[in-house]
Amino acid sequence: MSAELEELYQEVILDHSRRPRNFGELPNATVRVHGDNPSCGDEIHLAVRFEPDDSLGEIKFTGHGCAISQASASLMTMKLKKKSREEASTMLRAFHDLIVGQSETVPPDFGDLRLLQGVRKFPQRVKCAMLAWRALEQAMQLDAGESTVSTEVD
Ligand code: ZN
């Protein structure tokens, strides 16, 4: 990344970790997933309300951990709220490939999410950035109820 992007990355991560968006309880959630990243101590409680048309009507989270895990969760909820499952799955795959370095292609609708690709240089931080996304993946598989997911189990 260029120095300019690097700076923007720091700024966005800090902003989202200090003031996470969609942070809080979601009383009428259809699915709740607790995501755990023991290698860093990050925790995310993700709550999703699926709409009758199967879109992700509402996504909220609570949790604590490093700036990257919380910022990634915040950015994810902003980006995936109101999306269809298909759009969410596509974005999930693209995000994964981007931050593990499997792809250089940033989808045009990624916005600030693209900045998280900076973590690819730090394999331990990839787990932090993926935590919320793994929880979301689990939520979509589960459809209803509660579950847990850990970055230590693939
Ligand atoms: Zn972390």
Side-chain angles (χ1 to χ4, degrees):
M1 283 208 283
S2 67
E4 202 180 322
L5 261 184
E6 198 84 47
E7 207 170 291
L8 187 57
Y9 163 74
Q10 302 286 359
E11 217 172 276
V12 168
I13 301 288
L14 278 180
D15 177 48
H16 279 270
S17 64
R18 282 179 187 150
R19 296 187 302 122
R21 320 305 198 264
N22 301 305
F23 192 90
E25 303 295 335
L26 184 59
N28 54 354
T30 27
V31 191
R32 290 175 204 280
V33 178
H34 172 214
D36 194 19
N37 178 21
S39 64
C40 181
D42 308 321
E43 283 185 54
I44 297 279
H45 301 273
L46 189 75
V48 182
R49 194 183 74 232
F50 289 112
E51 297 298 334
D53 68 1
D54 227 19
S55 65
L56 288 66
E58 197 69 56
I59 314 175
K60 289 191 115 176
F61 78 101
T62 59
H64 59 88
C66 70
I68 289 178
S69 66
Q70 305 303 306
S72 182
S74 175
L75 285 160
M76 181 191 81
T77 57
M78 282 178 72
K79 201 44 95 173
L80 296 187
K81 209 157 122 175
K82 313 285 182 211
K83 291 277 192 291
S84 71
R85 278 173 189 256
E86 209 175 302
E87 289 166 326
S89 298
T90 302
M91 204 162 256
L92 200 157
R93 266 196 307 277
F95 180 76
H96 173 267
D97 291 354
L98 190 68
I99 68 161
V100 300
Q102 273 172 21
S103 166
E104 299 296 326
T105 314
V106 180
D109 54 350
F110 253 37
D112 282 345
L113 269 183
R114 79 186 194 285
L115 296 168
L116 283 168
Q117 69 181 289
V119 306
R120 62 168 62 174
K121 288 179 283 184
F122 314 101
Q124 279 305 316
R125 307 326 293 273
V126 167
K127 289 180 181 175
C128 304
M130 279 306 296
L131 181 61
W133 296 77
R134 284 190 179 278
L136 183 90
E137 187 177 34
Q138 178 84 352
M140 289 201 291
Q141 279 166 8
L142 198 68
D143 211 33
E146 292 188 30
S147 180
T148 57
V149 67
S150 171
T151 54
E152 299 306 301
V153 187
D154 224 348

